[in-house]
Amino acid sequence: MEQTSGKLSHWLAFYLCKGLGIRTLLALSQSHELASLFSLNFSQLQQLGLTAAQAQNLLNTSWSDVAHYERLISTLNIDVISYFDAHYPSALKEITSAPLLLFCQGDRQLLSSPQIAIVGSRNATPIGLEIASEFAYQLALANMTITSGMALGIDGAAHKGALAAHGKTIAVLGTGIDIYYPKRHKLLTQQVANNGLLVSEFLPGTAANANNFPRRNRIISGLSLGVLIVEAQIKSGSLVTVRYALEQNREVFAVPGSIKNPLSEASHFLIKQGAKLVENISDILDEVSFFCENSLYNIEQPNINESHCPVLDSIGFEVTSVDIITSRSQWPIDKVQARLLDLELADKVERVLDGYIKLGGK
């Protein structure tokens, strides 16, 4: 276990502090040592700009929980990289709502290597799996790191293709780094840990939760120079990754398929919208080689601090259901759900049992 910047217990305490997001910590770090916050009282924390809720939550830190996770991290030999660590990947720092902590097992140097993300359907066809594996194999031979999400289908085929080429691959998990999910990928997960890198923003022991997988997709695209979609339907998690890729100014590539195959819908839709149609790895390398050679990452961040956001305006400080938010905002439900995720990551709203509530003082 290695943690190279700051005291691990402090980073875990910040992580566990509800409502204390990366933006607040960044602002505080400009004028104060973050470790000094733990020696301040309620009034002093408020004077620094923390809300009453943030200050109270920080003062009520459960140090027993912090100690529990410290022991777990040590036992599992997990590397913990904070946003303020020199090893934190610069490309990921520039995305909206970058994770405060990355929990890693494997070769963490890969975080800063040139990467191509390969994503697609969990229920891919045999030809789709073959294409994903072949692209990953060839790209790995070209010294590109293959990044994906360890899901069944295209994700798994991409990881396997990279490993078959004795190349490097990163699996960004939607669970704790010690959780095998899906279980049938236990061996593959171990192989990636031994020959590549496992990375998660979730604490060890975090079980699979449907809400966590869209969150991890922003990391998959954020680490990568571009995202290749092989097979997927229009309404799929792969399109969430693509949306983040576009917001992060990453390249988007799509493999075309048969018009009679429903899993070609997403690729064909993206090609119509301007994604690059790819038939071989040269189509990808031609686009990203400039970035690899010059290490240029010009990231455009979506503005979710805009003064008038229909989705945010549709949420009260009481619980507001997604149906009500959709009705009030007059936005399509898929666009509403995407914006809700952005707002949640930006600590503007909080997801609760029956909907969302607006967070004050942000």
Side-chain angles (χ1 to χ4, degrees):
M1 186 274 293
E2 186 172 354
Q3 203 280 330
T4 58
S5 178
K7 194 172 181 181
L8 178 57
S9 60
H10 290 163
W11 294 125
L12 289 171
F14 288 134
Y15 181 103
L16 292 168
C17 182
K18 194 172 183 180
L20 188 62
I22 185 66
R23 288 174 180 162
T24 302
L25 290 173
L26 270 173
L28 290 170
S29 71
Q30 300 303 309
S31 55
H32 293 81
E33 285 288 333
L34 293 179
S36 69
L37 299 180
F38 296 101
S39 62
L40 303 181
N41 60 34
F42 182 81
S43 176
Q44 291 169 323
L45 289 172
Q46 282 199 296
Q47 289 174 10
L48 291 181
L50 269 65
T51 66
Q54 290 171 330
Q56 196 61 56
N57 289 340
L58 192 61
L59 289 170
N60 291 336
T61 295
S62 172
W63 293 105
S64 62
D65 286 349
V66 169
H68 164 75
Y69 285 114
E70 278 194 289
R71 289 191 297 269
L72 199 54
I73 287 165
S74 178
T75 300
L76 297 170
N77 197 31
I78 295 173
D79 286 343
V80 182
I81 303 175
S82 81
Y83 182 96
F84 300 90
D85 195 302
H87 291 90
Y88 196 95
S90 57
L92 196 59
K93 269 192 174 183
E94 295 170 345
I95 73 169
T96 299
S97 301
L100 172 62
L101 299 180
L102 295 174
F103 301 94
C104 304
Q105 280 187 336
D107 182 4
R108 67 180 182 183
Q109 300 299 324
L110 293 180
L111 286 170
S112 297
S113 66
Q115 300 165 48
I116 294 294
I118 300 180
V119 299
S121 175
R122 287 175 168 81
N123 301 305
T125 66
I127 189 64
L129 297 175
E130 180 182 336
I131 290 171
S133 181
E134 182 63 22
F135 266 91
Y137 184 93
Q138 295 294 337
L139 286 166
L141 290 178
N143 294 318
M144 300 296 294
T145 298
I146 305 303
T147 300
S148 198
M150 193 53 77
L152 297 174
I154 296 299
D155 287 19
H159 292 307
K160 292 173 184 176
L163 292 172
H166 302 289
K168 299 302 182 182
T169 184
I170 296 174
V172 183
L173 307 181
T175 64
I177 208 162
D178 55 327
I179 303 297
Y180 294 115
Y181 183 84
K183 289 186 178 180
R184 73 176 76 174
H185 274 174
K186 179 177 180 178
L187 177 59
L188 179 60
T189 303
Q190 293 171 340
Q191 291 172 332
V192 172
N194 292 332
N195 300 283
L197 177 69
L198 301 176
V199 59
S200 174
E201 67 173 316
F202 301 107
L203 288 164
T206 301
N209 183 307
N211 294 320
N212 291 345
F213 293 96
R215 292 173 65 99
R216 66 94 194 264
N217 290 349
R218 81 192 193 286
I219 301 176
I220 293 175
S221 58
L223 287 171
S224 304
L225 293 165
V227 174
L228 171 65
I229 188 164
V230 179
E231 282 188 336
Q233 293 181 304
I234 291 293
K235 295 182 179 180
S236 70
S238 300
L239 268 292
V240 175
T241 310
V242 169
R243 182 179 64 82
Y244 277 121
L246 292 171
E247 290 178 350
Q248 296 160 358
N249 201 27
R250 304 305 198 249
E251 298 291 336
V252 176
F253 307 99
V255 177
S258 169
I259 61 174
K260 295 186 177 181
N261 179 6
L263 294 177
S264 298
E265 290 177 353
S267 289
H268 293 173
F269 170 78
L270 292 170
I271 291 168
K272 290 176 183 176
Q273 299 300 313
K276 183 165 184 179
L277 185 156
V278 297
E279 298 174 302
N280 52 61
I281 67 164
S282 296
D283 295 327
I284 297 174
L285 297 177
D286 288 346
E287 295 293 328
V288 303
S289 59
F290 175 79
F291 294 97
C292 293
E293 292 169 5
N294 295 278
S295 298
L296 297 178
Y297 295 89
N298 181 22
I299 312 302
E300 294 181 1
Q301 298 189 31
N303 181 11
I304 56 176
N305 290 316
E306 58 197 21
S307 58
H308 177 67
C309 171
V311 172
L312 185 59
D313 291 345
S314 300
I315 305 171
F317 293 99
E318 75 287 351
V319 178
T320 313
S321 71
V322 174
D323 288 341
I324 292 176
I325 297 169
T326 302
S327 176
R328 289 176 178 173
S329 67
Q330 295 297 298
W331 279 20
I333 189 167
D334 58 336
K335 190 176 179 182
V336 168
Q337 290 173 327
R339 180 52 61 93
L340 284 170
L341 177 58
D342 290 334
L343 292 169
E344 184 183 0
L345 291 170
D347 291 328
K348 298 286 187 182
V349 302
E350 180 181 350
R351 185 195 301 112
V352 294
L353 181 61
D354 295 318
Y356 289 81
I357 57 173
K358 183 183 293 185
L359 296 177
K362 300 294 181 181

